[in-house]
Amino acid sequence: MLGLAQTSTAQNNNNTLDTSNIEVIRVLLFQLDKPQHLRVGARDGNIKLRTNDGFEITIEEGNSLADIRRNGNQVSISYGNTRRNARSVEVLTDEIGVMRIVHPTIGWRNYRGNLAIDVQNQRLRVINHVELEDYVGSVVGGEMSFHHPEALKTQAVMSRTYALWNVSLFGQDDYELTDHVMNQVYIGEHTDRPRFTRAAFATKGEVLTWSGRLMLAAYHSTCGGATSDNEMVWLGNPLPYLRNIQDGDACEASPHHRWEFQASAQELHRLVQNHTGNRVTRLEPGETDEG
């Protein structure tokens, strides 16, 4: 049975994680472009930089930015005449706070919540502790650009469900989600487009369930005229709510509706051999479906 419910319980085999009390989630930022340094400031409200040994710097709202860099296995903070090294640093916002982060290659982004910054594998590791509904609002804007409020609210329910499903299955010790397409696209606060956050709070707590469990609410931008059964795409058992359907020509509007990929025999040999250690001897059509 498919239903819309308040946040409920997700199960993975014999392990059960209750997601009904999750209000803050931890998102690993910049995993695909791990920085050596960042600049951090206060866009709205004030922020504090607090080291693991209790040292604090307050940055008031405005254009002033602190420099945060990797210094060996420590984090180095520079702000005005202040210099400090520490094992880890927190960036804390106040109640109305929005921080601004300048990444050396991505540019600037705005984030709510708090940051935990340390050094791993000679790069800064940045984890955003953010309220679930603020996260959902950001993901709605990161995954779609529609204006219709009902479409945005639908995406909010799907994004919240998909996030909590991932948290219930794949949570790490220090974070639950990443900020890219392996989970969902999360690029922080859309300060100039509040409609995305409104859609999240208008559907606060609503998730999709099947037989009392969170659904795998997978979604995508484009299909070729039909979707596939889930077991044709991923490993796992068939799910009754992820069955093949025709799209009613809806995806024809996408520029990605039709595409082609070409590779030479030499390229295929190299790719397969590098991946498996075997050589290609022949190609045969495999199993196909409506998708």
Side-chain angles (χ1 to χ4, degrees):
M1 178 178 180
L2 175 63
L4 190 67
Q6 296 299 308
T7 49
S8 58
T9 298
Q11 295 185 359
N12 177 20
N13 297 328
N14 294 322
N15 298 323
T16 301
L17 174 66
D18 184 7
T19 60
S20 61
N21 60 352
I22 293 179
E23 297 180 357
V24 175
I25 58 174
R26 301 168 299 172
V27 186
L28 178 65
L29 305 183
F30 313 126
Q31 187 186 31
L32 298 182
D33 196 352
K34 298 176 183 176
Q36 294 273 12
H37 64 91
L38 295 169
R39 299 168 70 200
V40 179
R43 184 190 185 279
D44 300 321
N46 299 332
I47 65 172
K48 288 184 178 181
L49 276 62
R50 179 185 296 160
T51 64
N52 61 285
D53 56 5
F55 178 76
E56 283 190 357
I57 300 172
T58 298
I59 301 178
E60 296 181 351
E61 181 179 325
N63 296 321
S64 184
L65 298 170
D67 192 72
I68 299 178
R69 294 179 177 268
R70 180 183 74 88
N71 184 7
N73 291 323
Q74 292 192 310
V75 181
S76 173
I77 306 172
S78 299
Y79 182 66
N81 296 322
T82 302
R83 304 287 186 275
R84 190 82 174 189
N85 289 330
R87 178 172 51 81
S88 62
V89 176
E90 292 180 289
V91 182
L92 308 172
T93 62
D94 58 23
E95 192 168 313
I96 64 167
V98 177
M99 70 182 80
R100 173 159 289 175
I101 301 178
V102 183
H103 186 284
T105 58
I106 295 173
W108 60 267
R109 289 180 176 175
N110 300 310
Y111 289 93
R112 291 191 180 274
N114 304 322
L115 300 181
I117 304 174
D118 60 8
V119 174
Q120 281 201 358
N121 300 320
Q122 301 184 337
R123 297 279 176 173
L124 294 178
R125 184 179 67 156
V126 185
I127 299 172
N128 184 201
H129 296 232
V130 61
E131 290 190 10
L132 174 62
E133 301 307 334
D134 288 323
Y135 168 83
V136 171
S138 173
V139 168
V140 170
E143 294 284 358
M144 69 187 308
S145 58
F146 286 21
H147 284 77
H148 197 292
E150 295 306 313
L152 297 178
K153 287 192 283 187
T154 299
Q155 180 66 48
V157 174
M158 292 173 60
S159 292
R160 184 181 299 106
T161 304
Y162 190 68
L164 292 174
W165 184 88
N166 275 279
V167 167
S168 70
L169 297 186
F170 304 119
Q172 306 293 311
D173 290 339
D174 298 321
Y175 63 91
E176 288 96 15
L177 302 171
T178 61
D179 65 349
H180 54 84
V181 293
M182 289 303 294
N183 291 140
Q184 297 182 96
V185 176
Y186 170 65
I187 56 175
E189 183 79 358
H190 300 276
T191 55
D192 58 338
R193 287 171 288 177
R195 65 182 184 273
F196 301 135
T197 300
R198 285 199 295 265
F201 281 91
T203 60
K204 183 176 180 179
E206 294 181 359
V207 294
L208 293 168
T209 64
W210 181 273
S211 298
R213 297 182 181 182
L214 285 175
M215 287 176 55
L216 167 53
Y219 58 91
H220 51 87
S221 70
T222 309
C223 71
T227 63
S228 296
D229 296 335
N230 68 283
E231 68 273 16
M232 296 295 294
V233 182
W234 303 293
L235 296 175
N237 296 323
L239 296 173
Y241 52 82
L242 289 183
R243 301 291 87 198
N244 158 254
I245 62 168
Q246 301 294 314
D247 77 337
D249 300 327
C251 287
E252 287 187 0
S254 170
H256 309 294
H257 177 63
R258 294 193 180 277
W259 56 272
E260 64 179 40
F261 169 77
Q262 295 183 357
S264 68
Q266 185 178 11
E267 289 173 315
L268 286 176
H269 279 295
R270 179 179 56 79
L271 289 170
V272 174
Q273 193 162 25
N274 288 346
H275 186 66
T276 68
N278 300 315
R279 286 186 56 79
V280 177
T281 58
R282 68 180 184 275
L283 295 175
E284 296 178 356
E287 186 178 3
T288 62
D289 70 353
E290 290 294 327

